[in-house]
Amino acid sequence: MYNPESLIRKGLPKGHIKDRLVRFSLGLVTYLIVIIAALLFFKIIKDGAPVLLTTKAPYVDLGFLLDKNETLHVFHDARGQRHQLAASKYSAYVKDHAGEPIYNERTFSYSGGGIIGPIVGTVLLTVGSMVLALFFGVSAAIYLSEYAKQSPFIHAVRLAILNLAGIPSIVFGLFGFSVFVLAVPVITSTPSERTLLTVPLFIGKAVLSFQGWNSSLLAGCATLACMILPVIITASEESLRAVPQGFRDAALAMGATRWQTIRTCVLPFSIPGILTSSLLAITRVAGETAPIMFTAAVAAKDDLPWQSLANPFDLLSSQVQALPYHIYTLAARIPASEFTQRAQYGSVFVFLMIVASLSFGSMLLRAKLRSKLKW
Amino acid sequence: MSPVLSDRIEVHDLHFYYGHTCALKAVSLNVPERQVTAFIGPSGCGKSTLLRCFNRMNDEIPGARVSSGSIHIGGVNIQQPSVDVAKLRREVGMVFQKSNPFPRSIFDNVAFGLQLHRISNRSMLNQAVEEALISAALWDEVKDRLHESALALSGGQQQRLCIARSLAVKPSIILMDEPCSALDPIAAAKVEDLIRTLRQQITFIIVTHNMQQAARVSDLTAFFHLGELIEFSPTLKLFSNPAHKLTEAYLRGTFG
Ligand SMILES: Nc1ncnc2c1ncn2[C@@H]1O[C@H](COP(=O)(O)OP(=O)(O)O)[C@@H](O)[C@H]1O
Ligand SMILES: [Mg+2]
């Protein structure tokens, strides 16, 4: 018999305490993670911000951003005053104060001057690898989602691509070294001694020489692109699939070819999604050290990448500095001291700012595109 | 430019398969020009499949194929490989059950087909878009906001926009697959009105689950069951005096 009284509970219901407990522990874990992340950011900002920010206008130490990286000289002059000078300023000082004695001189590699070289190198590597990865990744995604028949073979291909995403970046670094640095073909009239194979082209003295691109911007970009290709392909394919089938049907039924359909009615509407996924990839590309260690990066370089080039294309074959590699060098290759901290914390802080602004920029772009293209 | 194809559709002994499942069995019928033909029948009986044969949209479905029989439109066998599918689809337009305007402006939607066929002259585009919207009885409602998003339109307006988009390339046949099933009765009535207005110029084939609609708009009605054409006759005759027991049962709603 129906008994309305039974709806009124007496005391706490059984499930209630357990439910609260679960809720509390899950919340605890979540906020613990947030606290750890917040501490990390706090530490970086606390140590790094003073290096970069100043109290006087323009409130930013432009020298740190725009000067070349140099060795730091620390010494005392005759009056016992301590000087910290980057190498170029140090030689100027020595010239001005010729004959004066210098005491307790110590030098710290990479710790003086600014970090324009690493910043520029990271920007070049990031832009280059994104261009490559987007071109190849989106092409592959279009093939997989729009053209390929959904056969077991294609599923296997897709699975293989997905698995590539889990390979550690150092493996990509070694792969890039053995393939892009040492083995890919170039057209040249003077093949290097370590070439693996030369194929005559019968055009003048030119031969196709499998000698690699050496350690260079191009090799680094190619390696980084390989590393993020799986992410780009998978995410692009998802965004392509998210475009309603009705758009394709409508275009095809109007007499559009497959490619016209994709170009006018599928790709434009999947770009926000592709960009969102690329945002993750950009921050990863900008931050990786392992893939560029053997393929593109140098610790020290006097010129900016485009300076003293015979022709603009040599940019691609020049080595570059890079922020993550610079941070790694400062942390692991030189003994830490109070005089290296400026460079270390400053570089980390700048890097964080760059990544944060990249993320923020892509988010804005995406929001803007998304509001225009909604269905 | 005169149409390459005229628009009489002749289907002869058509068998159609999705993989190993047969969707159409020995279908033969002649759809006359400049009339409205309705396809009726229970779900899954192959109405959409046959409709998609007429503009070769089945080409896009992997494993779908005509196993035997022929379809001639204006005397041309459209199954043969040498048929220019893009041109065929320009002659034979299609309107889908779920309205599918692109998330672009109203103008861009209607101009889509023209731009696809490389017409970019601005005044020509403007004129064609206006004509198409007038034919689709949508012009008065949207003429002041041609450059606003098509997605801001109501469901019924969106469907008429899709019709306008098909009309813009001046097809001689329009295939409609349950065009009103997602619309309220008033919006559906507007679509029916425009079919009635355009029937002098265009051959319509309309799939519908709404018997009253079939009776109201069509000249001829074909009744399908399990992939077979059961009965094909003038609508008046089919509805008042069906020749086949199955048709009668379906019309009375006492099916199965
Ligand atoms: N893309 C497809 N793949 C496999 N079978 C399909 C496909 N489309 C339709 N069919 C099958 O073909 C038969 C006819 O479908 P359809 O032409 O859509 O029927 P209707 O439009 O009359 O409801 C159904 O049994 C359906 O399951
Ligand atoms: Mg159907």
Side-chain angles (χ1 to χ4, degrees):
Chain A
M1 200 177 97
Y2 178 58
N3 176 10
E5 287 289 310
S6 68
L7 283 175
I8 310 298
R9 67 164 184 240
K10 296 169 192 71
L12 278 175
K14 256 195 210 145
H16 204 82
I17 296 172
K18 202 170 156 192
D19 193 50
R20 287 215 165 163
L21 212 64
V22 168
R23 182 187 156 146
F24 176 77
S25 2
L26 293 181
L28 195 71
V29 172
T30 310
Y31 290 112
L32 209 66
I33 296 170
V34 173
I35 287 172
I36 292 172
L39 280 177
L40 190 74
F41 276 87
F42 178 74
K43 163 100 176 118
I44 294 174
I45 291 172
K46 182 181 133 290
D47 293 333
V51 176
L52 192 68
L53 306 180
T54 57
T55 48
K56 290 191 304 254
Y59 304 108
V60 179
D61 182 359
L62 289 177
F64 188 67
L65 289 180
L66 300 180
D67 284 352
K68 285 179 185 166
N69 191 243
E70 288 174 308
T71 301
L72 184 68
H73 291 252
V74 181
F75 59 91
H76 290 90
D77 62 18
R79 271 164 284 126
Q81 198 184 345
R82 196 172 72 193
H83 294 262
Q84 292 184 38
L85 294 177
S88 53
K89 295 213 177 89
Y90 172 76
S91 27
Y93 177 92
V94 172
K95 223 198 259 162
D96 286 352
H97 301 76
E100 288 183 29
I102 280 173
Y103 303 104
N104 298 338
E105 185 181 353
R106 283 178 292 167
T107 57
F108 300 91
S109 316
Y110 317 122
S111 302
I115 53 169
I116 184 68
I119 292 176
V120 163
T122 288
V123 169
L124 287 175
L125 282 168
T126 309
V127 171
S129 54
M130 287 312 292
V131 168
L132 288 178
L134 280 175
F135 177 76
F136 287 101
V138 174
S139 306
I142 289 175
Y143 177 73
L144 285 175
S145 101
E146 307 293 323
Y147 285 100
K149 283 208 182 110
Q150 301 309 313
S151 62
F153 174 70
I154 288 296
H155 285 299
V157 169
R158 196 172 283 130
L159 210 63
I161 290 172
L162 215 58
N163 278 327
L164 275 182
I167 292 178
S169 54
I170 184 71
V171 176
F172 279 103
L174 295 171
F175 166 79
F177 179 69
S178 54
V179 174
F180 297 119
V181 176
L182 296 180
V184 283
V186 291
I187 297 174
T188 175
S189 52
T190 50
S192 116
E193 279 165 24
R194 58 143 216 271
T195 182
L196 302 174
L197 176 74
T198 55
V199 181
L201 289 177
F202 308 108
I203 312 162
K205 280 205 289 184
V207 291
L208 197 64
S209 165
F210 289 77
Q211 63 185 42
W213 296 330
N214 295 322
S215 175
S216 62
L217 182 60
L218 187 59
C221 288
T223 310
L224 286 170
C226 286
M227 183 185 75
I228 50 157
L229 261 180
V231 181
I232 303 255
I233 294 175
T234 311
S236 304
E237 209 191 331
E238 254 161 46
S239 335
L240 288 170
R241 279 173 195 280
V243 174
Q245 182 62 32
F247 295 179
R248 298 181 181 87
D249 289 342
L252 288 170
M254 304 284 301
T257 61
R258 273 281 154 120
W259 174 238
Q260 282 173 320
T261 304
I262 293 165
R263 198 166 44 80
T264 58
C265 303
V266 181
L267 209 48
F269 307 132
S270 61
I271 281 178
I274 293 176
L275 283 184
T276 313
S277 66
S278 320
L279 144 78
L280 289 174
I282 286 183
T283 48
R284 206 173 152 210
V285 160
E288 281 286 354
T289 314
I292 54 173
M293 208 149 50
F294 316 120
T295 56
V298 280
K301 190 170 157 73
D302 285 337
D303 290 321
L304 290 180
W306 54 79
Q307 286 171 341
S308 68
L309 291 181
N311 74 64
F313 290 108
D314 283 350
L315 177 64
L316 292 175
S317 56
S318 66
Q319 287 185 298
V320 291
Q321 289 177 285
L323 265 179
Y325 189 64
H326 189 62
I327 293 168
Y328 162 79
T329 309
L330 288 168
R333 294 260 207 98
I334 61 173
S337 78
E338 55 180 310
F339 303 108
T340 59
Q341 280 183 2
R342 182 182 107 99
Q344 282 169 349
Y345 293 137
S347 306
V348 172
F349 182 66
V350 169
F351 179 61
L352 195 74
M353 290 297 114
I354 291 179
V355 169
S357 49
L358 275 179
S359 310
F360 193 65
S362 317
M363 244 153 63
L364 285 184
L365 184 69
R366 171 171 170 252
K368 207 173 146 203
L369 288 174
R370 201 93 182 91
S371 64
K372 257 203 287 183
L373 303 169
K374 229 180 7 214
W375 52 85
Chain B
M1 195 170 66
S2 67
V4 185
L5 311 159
S6 113
D7 50 358
R8 182 183 163 78
I9 304 176
E10 292 153 327
V11 182
H12 181 67
D13 195 27
L14 189 73
H15 291 254
F16 189 94
Y17 283 84
Y18 289 108
H20 296 293
T21 43
C22 182
L24 292 173
K25 265 175 264 169
V27 171
S28 298
L29 85 171
N30 292 342
V31 180
E33 307 182 68
R34 308 205 201 304
Q35 308 234 18
V36 180
T37 302
F39 286 0
I40 62 171
S43 286
C45 66
K47 308 179 296 290
S48 301
T49 302
L50 181 59
L51 211 58
R52 285 198 306 266
C53 284
F54 297 154
N55 63 349
R56 298 248 317 243
M57 276 295 274
N58 285 321
D59 291 9
E60 314 299 333
I61 301 173
R65 65 184 200 285
V66 170
S67 64
S68 66
S70 66
I71 304 167
H72 288 78
I73 296 184
V76 175
N77 181 357
I78 61 159
Q79 290 302 127
Q80 58 193 350
S82 55
V83 163
D84 180 347
V85 176
K87 226 172 217 167
L88 172 71
R89 289 178 185 169
R90 199 175 162 180
E91 288 298 323
V92 186
M94 189 168 220
V95 174
F96 297 83
Q97 174 176 10
K98 194 166 171 293
S99 68
N100 50 6
F102 302 123
R104 299 200 204 151
S105 73
I106 294 168
F107 184 93
D108 286 350
N109 264 281
V110 183
F112 176 80
L114 299 160
Q115 283 164 341
L116 202 60
H117 298 104
R118 304 262 146 65
I119 295 166
S120 56
N121 179 318
R122 202 69 206 170
S123 62
M124 256 165 83
L125 274 184
N126 285 339
Q127 199 193 336
V129 167
E130 181 175 341
E131 275 172 18
L133 284 169
I134 289 172
S135 301
L138 196 59
W139 176 249
D140 290 332
E141 291 158 67
V142 302
K143 64 169 180 269
D144 299 323
R145 47 179 183 143
L146 286 178
H147 296 283
E148 285 172 34
S149 169
L151 301 186
L153 297 175
S154 73
Q157 288 173 325
Q158 288 192 9
Q159 190 62 300
R160 275 179 287 147
L161 181 68
C162 293
I163 296 174
R165 184 173 60 187
S166 319
L167 288 173
V169 291
K170 304 238 182 298
S172 46
I173 301 170
I174 289 190
L175 312 170
M176 297 179 145
D177 197 348
E178 302 183 38
C180 301
S181 62
L183 303 186
D184 64 80
I186 294 176
K190 286 186 180 157
V191 173
E192 286 174 27
D193 281 344
L194 81 88
I195 293 174
R196 250 177 248 119
T197 323
L198 294 172
R199 70 198 303 168
Q200 272 91 27
Q201 303 133 50
I202 296 173
T203 308
F204 283 95
I205 305 179
I206 177 168
V207 171
T208 178
H209 281 291
N210 181 331
M211 294 307 119
Q212 284 83 22
Q213 184 176 57
R216 278 194 303 266
V217 299
S218 69
D219 305 301
L220 296 153
T221 300
F223 172 65
F224 293 86
H225 182 54
L226 297 178
E228 285 177 89
L229 176 63
I230 304 297
E231 188 166 349
F232 181 45
S233 46
T235 301
L236 271 178
K237 177 180 175 301
L238 187 125
F239 276 80
S240 60
N241 186 16
H244 203 284
K245 277 215 298 282
L246 273 171
T247 319
E248 195 186 345
Y250 184 72
L251 291 175
R252 265 197 280 114
T254 57
F255 205 72

